[in-house]
Amino acid sequence: MSAILTGVALQLAAVAFFVAMDTTTKLMAADYAIGQLIFARFLGHVLLVALLLRVFTGALPWRSRAPGLQAVRSLCLASANYLFSHALAHVPLADATAVNFASPLFTVAMAAVWLQEKVSPRRWLGVAVGLLGVGVALRPPFLTGGPLPHWAIVLPLGTALLYGVYQILTRKLASVDDPRTTILHTGLAASALSTLAQPFVWQTPTGWGWAGLLALGALGAVGHGLLVLAFARAPASLLAPMSYTQLIWAVLASMLVFGDQPDRFTLLGAAIIAVGGLLVAWPSRRAPRRPA
């Protein structure tokens, strides 16, 4: 299997773990503060990754050549998680996920500007189509004829922007640090900062509560570990649209776990976004070589 196909497969697996983490977050948000869930998610990530690295490699490669970028990347992810977790407390998982699909579009645009990756006119068209789909998923009253949606539906847009920056930094750091270092640093700055809030939000969990907090850390660690490995093998502008498969899992989780049926605007917006994603992800034809 080529490096690019391996990267795509790793990205697809990562988004499945992210939906499992989001589902667990939504379940636990009814009983625990978002700040406590964020703390558990990132501290669990650091401890699990450190343990696995020590056991399987005999080393703990925490020294980074770009510690500042690693810290910014970690805090971008923590902020994205915080906004999305707040959204999940008020809106269905499928709706929040659909709006969050703006993230791959932001990633493609930033990859062109920041990483100087070549983005064809067709991919730019895909970005525009995808943003149109996000607009539909946001349910503006002039389109639905109904009242304004819950204000929390806009929070995943902030998540999308921050996560786009996180993915770009992941790609940039792939050429600077060992992937193991980046996987470890994913949770370091985030867990350190979220620790400061614990005296104000901590609630001692029950037996199942401990299991849920541990699951948050494990699911996040595995998902972002797969993501780092994916971005070390394939371009950001190609991998970003693979996140659209997340909606399939999010819709299933919404229906089976929470009993939320996605309405036509969620499904229509997601379908338009998927078309944009296909335009972005479809491989470009190489121009035939001219004979010498």
Side-chain angles (χ1 to χ4, degrees), residues 131-148:
L131 288 175
L132 174 63
V134 171
V136 173
L138 283 171
R139 295 174 180 74
F142 71 83
L143 178 64
T144 65
L148 285 169

PDB file of all heavy atoms in Angstrom, residues 131-148:
ATOM      1  N   LEU A 131     -18.783  25.128   1.790  1.00  0.00           N
ATOM      2  CA  LEU A 131     -19.237  26.219   2.657  1.00  0.00           C
ATOM      3  C   LEU A 131     -20.722  26.502   2.462  1.00  0.00           C
ATOM      4  O   LEU A 131     -21.423  26.859   3.413  1.00  0.00           O
ATOM      5  CB  LEU A 131     -18.414  27.479   2.386  1.00  0.00           C
ATOM      6  CG  LEU A 131     -16.967  27.431   2.888  1.00  0.00           C
ATOM      7  CD1 LEU A 131     -16.209  28.676   2.460  1.00  0.00           C
ATOM      8  CD2 LEU A 131     -16.928  27.287   4.409  1.00  0.00           C
ATOM      9  N   LEU A 132     -21.213  26.321   1.227  1.00  0.00           N
ATOM     10  CA  LEU A 132     -22.652  26.455   0.977  1.00  0.00           C
ATOM     11  C   LEU A 132     -23.420  25.412   1.788  1.00  0.00           C
ATOM     12  O   LEU A 132     -24.459  25.711   2.395  1.00  0.00           O
ATOM     13  CB  LEU A 132     -22.934  26.287  -0.514  1.00  0.00           C
ATOM     14  CG  LEU A 132     -24.420  26.256  -0.913  1.00  0.00           C
ATOM     15  CD1 LEU A 132     -25.087  27.585  -0.577  1.00  0.00           C
ATOM     16  CD2 LEU A 132     -24.561  25.942  -2.407  1.00  0.00           C
ATOM     17  N   GLY A 133     -22.893  24.188   1.808  1.00  0.00           N
ATOM     18  CA  GLY A 133     -23.532  23.137   2.593  1.00  0.00           C
ATOM     19  C   GLY A 133     -23.537  23.437   4.082  1.00  0.00           C
ATOM     20  O   GLY A 133     -24.518  23.153   4.783  1.00  0.00           O
ATOM     21  N   VAL A 134     -22.463  24.027   4.571  1.00  0.00           N
ATOM     22  CA  VAL A 134     -22.415  24.423   5.979  1.00  0.00           C
ATOM     23  C   VAL A 134     -23.510  25.455   6.271  1.00  0.00           C
ATOM     24  O   VAL A 134     -24.177  25.397   7.302  1.00  0.00           O
ATOM     25  CB  VAL A 134     -21.029  24.978   6.346  1.00  0.00           C
ATOM     26  CG1 VAL A 134     -21.044  25.589   7.746  1.00  0.00           C
ATOM     27  CG2 VAL A 134     -19.977  23.880   6.273  1.00  0.00           C
ATOM     28  N   GLY A 135     -23.695  26.395   5.331  1.00  0.00           N
ATOM     29  CA  GLY A 135     -24.748  27.393   5.499  1.00  0.00           C
ATOM     30  C   GLY A 135     -26.125  26.759   5.611  1.00  0.00           C
ATOM     31  O   GLY A 135     -26.950  27.187   6.425  1.00  0.00           O
ATOM     32  N   VAL A 136     -26.383  25.737   4.814  1.00  0.00           N
ATOM     33  CA  VAL A 136     -27.663  25.030   4.894  1.00  0.00           C
ATOM     34  C   VAL A 136     -27.796  24.321   6.246  1.00  0.00           C
ATOM     35  O   VAL A 136     -28.853  24.366   6.882  1.00  0.00           O
ATOM     36  CB  VAL A 136     -27.792  24.016   3.742  1.00  0.00           C
ATOM     37  CG1 VAL A 136     -29.038  23.144   3.913  1.00  0.00           C
ATOM     38  CG2 VAL A 136     -27.837  24.733   2.390  1.00  0.00           C
ATOM     39  N   ALA A 137     -26.735  23.669   6.689  1.00  0.00           N
ATOM     40  CA  ALA A 137     -26.770  22.940   7.961  1.00  0.00           C
ATOM     41  C   ALA A 137     -27.000  23.874   9.149  1.00  0.00           C
ATOM     42  O   ALA A 137     -27.521  23.449  10.184  1.00  0.00           O
ATOM     43  CB  ALA A 137     -25.480  22.160   8.154  1.00  0.00           C
ATOM     44  N   LEU A 138     -26.630  25.146   9.006  1.00  0.00           N
ATOM     45  CA  LEU A 138     -26.844  26.118  10.081  1.00  0.00           C
ATOM     46  C   LEU A 138     -28.310  26.533  10.212  1.00  0.00           C
ATOM     47  O   LEU A 138     -28.670  27.221  11.168  1.00  0.00           O
ATOM     48  CB  LEU A 138     -25.985  27.364   9.849  1.00  0.00           C
ATOM     49  CG  LEU A 138     -24.500  27.229  10.199  1.00  0.00           C
ATOM     50  CD1 LEU A 138     -23.721  28.450   9.731  1.00  0.00           C
ATOM     51  CD2 LEU A 138     -24.313  27.044  11.701  1.00  0.00           C
ATOM     52  N   ARG A 139     -29.157  26.165   9.229  1.00  0.00           N
ATOM     53  CA  ARG A 139     -30.598  26.420   9.267  1.00  0.00           C
ATOM     54  C   ARG A 139     -30.946  27.905   9.395  1.00  0.00           C
ATOM     55  O   ARG A 139     -31.627  28.313  10.356  1.00  0.00           O
ATOM     56  CB  ARG A 139     -31.251  25.679  10.440  1.00  0.00           C
ATOM     57  CG  ARG A 139     -31.197  24.191  10.354  1.00  0.00           C
ATOM     58  CD  ARG A 139     -31.745  23.586  11.646  1.00  0.00           C
ATOM     59  NE  ARG A 139     -31.718  22.145  11.610  1.00  0.00           N
ATOM     60  CZ  ARG A 139     -30.613  21.420  11.739  1.00  0.00           C
ATOM     61  NH1 ARG A 139     -29.457  22.020  11.909  1.00  0.00           N
ATOM     62  NH2 ARG A 139     -30.655  20.111  11.683  1.00  0.00           N
ATOM     63  N   PRO A 140     -30.519  28.752   8.475  1.00  0.00           N
ATOM     64  CA  PRO A 140     -30.919  30.164   8.561  1.00  0.00           C
ATOM     65  C   PRO A 140     -32.433  30.292   8.367  1.00  0.00           C
ATOM     66  O   PRO A 140     -33.031  29.568   7.563  1.00  0.00           O
ATOM     67  CB  PRO A 140     -30.156  30.816   7.401  1.00  0.00           C
ATOM     68  CG  PRO A 140     -29.876  29.694   6.448  1.00  0.00           C
ATOM     69  CD  PRO A 140     -29.686  28.470   7.293  1.00  0.00           C
ATOM     70  N   PRO A 141     -33.087  31.189   9.115  1.00  0.00           N
ATOM     71  CA  PRO A 141     -34.551  31.306   9.026  1.00  0.00           C
ATOM     72  C   PRO A 141     -35.070  31.599   7.628  1.00  0.00           C
ATOM     73  O   PRO A 141     -36.162  31.156   7.264  1.00  0.00           O
ATOM     74  CB  PRO A 141     -34.854  32.471   9.983  1.00  0.00           C
ATOM     75  CG  PRO A 141     -33.721  32.458  10.951  1.00  0.00           C
ATOM     76  CD  PRO A 141     -32.521  32.037  10.150  1.00  0.00           C
ATOM     77  N   PHE A 142     -34.291  32.342   6.803  1.00  0.00           N
ATOM     78  CA  PHE A 142     -34.781  32.647   5.460  1.00  0.00           C
ATOM     79  C   PHE A 142     -34.879  31.392   4.594  1.00  0.00           C
ATOM     80  O   PHE A 142     -35.601  31.355   3.603  1.00  0.00           O
ATOM     81  CB  PHE A 142     -33.869  33.684   4.777  1.00  0.00           C
ATOM     82  CG  PHE A 142     -32.512  33.175   4.387  1.00  0.00           C
ATOM     83  CD1 PHE A 142     -32.320  32.482   3.201  1.00  0.00           C
ATOM     84  CD2 PHE A 142     -31.415  33.396   5.212  1.00  0.00           C
ATOM     85  CE1 PHE A 142     -31.058  32.020   2.841  1.00  0.00           C
ATOM     86  CE2 PHE A 142     -30.159  32.935   4.856  1.00  0.00           C
ATOM     87  CZ  PHE A 142     -29.981  32.241   3.673  1.00  0.00           C
ATOM     88  N   LEU A 143     -34.156  30.338   4.996  1.00  0.00           N
ATOM     89  CA  LEU A 143     -34.205  29.079   4.252  1.00  0.00           C
ATOM     90  C   LEU A 143     -35.250  28.135   4.840  1.00  0.00           C
ATOM     91  O   LEU A 143     -36.013  27.500   4.109  1.00  0.00           O
ATOM     92  CB  LEU A 143     -32.832  28.396   4.284  1.00  0.00           C
ATOM     93  CG  LEU A 143     -32.717  27.043   3.585  1.00  0.00           C
ATOM     94  CD1 LEU A 143     -32.955  27.198   2.082  1.00  0.00           C
ATOM     95  CD2 LEU A 143     -31.332  26.429   3.833  1.00  0.00           C
ATOM     96  N   THR A 144     -35.304  28.044   6.160  1.00  0.00           N
ATOM     97  CA  THR A 144     -36.204  27.088   6.807  1.00  0.00           C
ATOM     98  C   THR A 144     -37.604  27.639   7.017  1.00  0.00           C
ATOM     99  O   THR A 144     -38.567  26.870   7.141  1.00  0.00           O
ATOM    100  CB  THR A 144     -35.632  26.672   8.167  1.00  0.00           C
ATOM    101  OG1 THR A 144     -35.602  27.809   9.043  1.00  0.00           O
ATOM    102  CG2 THR A 144     -34.218  26.123   8.006  1.00  0.00           C
ATOM    103  N   GLY A 145     -37.730  28.974   7.072  1.00  0.00           N
ATOM    104  CA  GLY A 145     -39.032  29.561   7.366  1.00  0.00           C
ATOM    105  C   GLY A 145     -39.420  29.443   8.825  1.00  0.00           C
ATOM    106  O   GLY A 145     -40.535  29.779   9.218  1.00  0.00           O
ATOM    107  N   GLY A 146     -38.492  28.961   9.660  1.00  0.00           N
ATOM    108  CA  GLY A 146     -38.769  28.764  11.074  1.00  0.00           C
ATOM    109  C   GLY A 146     -38.000  29.752  11.934  1.00  0.00           C
ATOM    110  O   GLY A 146     -37.397  30.712  11.431  1.00  0.00           O
ATOM    111  N   PRO A 147     -38.004  29.536  13.237  1.00  0.00           N
ATOM    112  CA  PRO A 147     -37.282  30.434  14.151  1.00  0.00           C
ATOM    113  C   PRO A 147     -35.777  30.224  14.063  1.00  0.00           C
ATOM    114  O   PRO A 147     -35.301  29.274  13.426  1.00  0.00           O
ATOM    115  CB  PRO A 147     -37.804  30.015  15.534  1.00  0.00           C
ATOM    116  CG  PRO A 147     -38.189  28.572  15.357  1.00  0.00           C
ATOM    117  CD  PRO A 147     -38.698  28.452  13.955  1.00  0.00           C
ATOM    118  N   LEU A 148     -35.053  31.108  14.715  1.00  0.00           N
ATOM    119  CA  LEU A 148     -33.604  30.947  14.768  1.00  0.00           C
ATOM    120  C   LEU A 148     -33.234  29.650  15.474  1.00  0.00           C
ATOM    121  O   LEU A 148     -33.880  29.259  16.454  1.00  0.00           O
ATOM    122  CB  LEU A 148     -32.972  32.125  15.522  1.00  0.00           C
ATOM    123  CG  LEU A 148     -32.877  33.466  14.786  1.00  0.00           C
ATOM    124  CD1 LEU A 148     -32.490  34.562  15.770  1.00  0.00           C
ATOM    125  CD2 LEU A 148     -31.865  33.386  13.657  1.00  0.00           C
TER     126      LEU A 148
END
